[in-house]
Amino acid sequence: MIDVDALTVRFRTKSGPFDAVRGASFQVRPGEAFGLVGESGSGKSTVLRALTGLVPIAGGRVAIGGRLVGAQAQRGAHGRALQREVQMVFQDPYGSLHPRFTVDQTLREPLAINGLDREDERIAAALREVGLGPAYRFRYPHQLSGGQRQRVAIARALLVEPRVLLLDEPTSALDVSVQAEILNLLRRLARERNLTIVLVSHNLAVIGFLCSRVAVMRNGEIVEEPGIEAVREQRVQHEYTRSLLLATAGYRRNAADAIGVDAAM
Ligand code: ADP
Ligand code: MG
């Protein structure tokens, strides 16, 4: 479903060109959840933005569902199909929701852009799917909790029926108990809709909960692809990955305990 081959992303900066991602390669099969972990600034968000065609690809190639991603490739009908197929949810649900739009307006927008009909029906169903009742439909973001805002952001992403969901630290801004609710919601939705997911997190417990594979990034490069079982059981080889494991609060005990989720679910 996702094929990233020797991807290099280069930004122009005041001090010259800077490669935020260098020669990164990975593949994600349909319906699979792939994790990207690494310290802050290692290039995780840049990889996600490359998957949506939002950053300049200086080398290598990115394809989604067999379609090439990139400035040229994203013109016309081909590009619109691709944009609809790949949706993103960000860390800060407050920043990503328009403060003066009601939930209804926020959810109506992508439907209009993509020319989807039966708006009222779709919006009501989307709210139900993320566990928000009809009462939330005409609220503004400031009238919602952080977890509720993130549910709205997830509903917005799913409304256009994407095949790929990109999650950039989707629970990092939330309280631990709310994190677990949102992770459980994401896991249920991913299974029900057979979504292909790339999840970025600095938290290996979060990755271990949602993903079946993980790659470790450092300084723009993928440095290790430890097995997910090894991550869950803390048997990683690479010193850097070990330090990420230890940096994950409470990880020493148990990945699921650390984020307050039921590992058997
Ligand atoms: P992460 O998500 O792992 O924290 P990012 O992908 O956001 O890391 O950033 C990787 C590196 O690229 C950082 O050094 C960041 O400062 C740099 N970077 C990101 N976006 C830009 C940009 N638009 N222009 C210049 N540098 C950028
Ligand atoms: Mg980031």
Side-chain angles (χ1 to χ4, degrees):
M1 187 73 210
I2 298 175
D3 188 3
V4 175
D5 184 27
L7 170 69
T8 294
V9 176
R10 182 165 302 149
F11 293 115
R12 265 186 260 275
T13 70
K14 280 180 193 140
S15 49
F18 170 70
D19 289 353
V21 177
R22 280 175 294 156
S25 299
F26 62 91
Q27 282 82 38
V28 190
R29 287 186 295 274
E32 189 180 31
F34 185 80
L36 271 180
V37 71
E39 64 194 4
S40 179
S42 56
K44 308 182 296 295
S45 296
T46 304
V47 168
L48 287 194
R49 288 164 70 208
L51 290 172
T52 64
L54 289 174
V55 291
I57 295 175
R61 62 193 283 282
V62 175
I64 292 182
R67 293 195 186 94
L68 217 51
V69 177
Q72 285 299 325
Q74 259 159 298
R75 303 232 166 90
H78 169 100
R80 278 194 297 281
L82 199 60
Q83 273 161 27
R84 179 174 160 185
E85 233 162 61
V86 183
Q87 293 292 315
M88 188 133 149
V89 173
F90 298 92
Q91 172 175 2
D92 172 13
Y94 201 66
S96 69
L97 298 180
H98 193 302
R100 286 194 296 275
F101 276 13
T102 62
V103 169
D104 184 77
Q105 286 171 296
T106 293
L107 299 181
R108 206 163 282 275
E109 200 177 35
L111 294 177
I113 289 170
N114 290 284
L116 295 176
D117 61 355
R118 297 182 290 113
E119 291 97 328
D120 290 316
E121 213 176 293
R122 286 182 197 267
I123 289 171
L127 286 176
R128 257 198 318 275
E129 226 185 326
V130 298
L132 292 176
Y136 290 94
R137 184 155 170 187
F138 296 100
R139 292 209 191 167
Y140 289 92
H142 73 267
Q143 297 171 314
L144 302 173
S145 70
Q148 289 166 345
R149 287 197 288 264
Q150 200 59 307
R151 287 175 192 267
V152 173
I154 292 165
R156 176 177 57 185
L158 294 181
L159 263 179
V160 297
E161 293 166 16
R163 294 164 73 193
V164 175
L165 191 61
L166 307 177
L167 304 167
D168 196 348
E169 304 272 8
T171 59
S172 303
L174 305 173
D175 294 342
V176 172
S177 64
V178 182
Q179 274 188 36
E181 286 175 25
I182 297 295
L183 287 171
N184 277 312
L185 172 67
L186 287 168
R187 188 158 77 168
R188 174 169 64 75
L189 292 171
R191 285 178 181 170
E192 285 173 2
R193 292 178 169 238
N194 195 34
L195 292 166
T196 305
I197 286 184
V198 182
L199 166 69
V200 160
S201 180
H202 62 274
N203 187 329
L204 274 161
V206 168
I207 300 258
F209 180 71
L210 219 56
C211 300
S212 59
R213 283 168 56 222
V214 58
V216 180
M217 288 196 73
R218 184 180 201 181
N219 297 330
E221 295 182 78
I222 292 180
V223 292
E224 189 185 13
E225 264 202 47
I228 198 76
E229 291 308 325
V231 167
R232 291 187 186 129
E233 291 160 21
Q234 308 158 53
R235 287 186 285 104
V236 292
Q237 300 299 318
H238 213 278
E239 197 50 49
Y240 172 67
T241 309
R242 198 188 304 277
S243 73
L244 290 174
L245 267 178
L246 293 177
T248 300
Y251 195 87
R252 280 187 201 84
R253 278 173 50 232
N254 175 295
D257 281 1
I259 50 173
V261 292
D262 179 358
M265 281 185 75

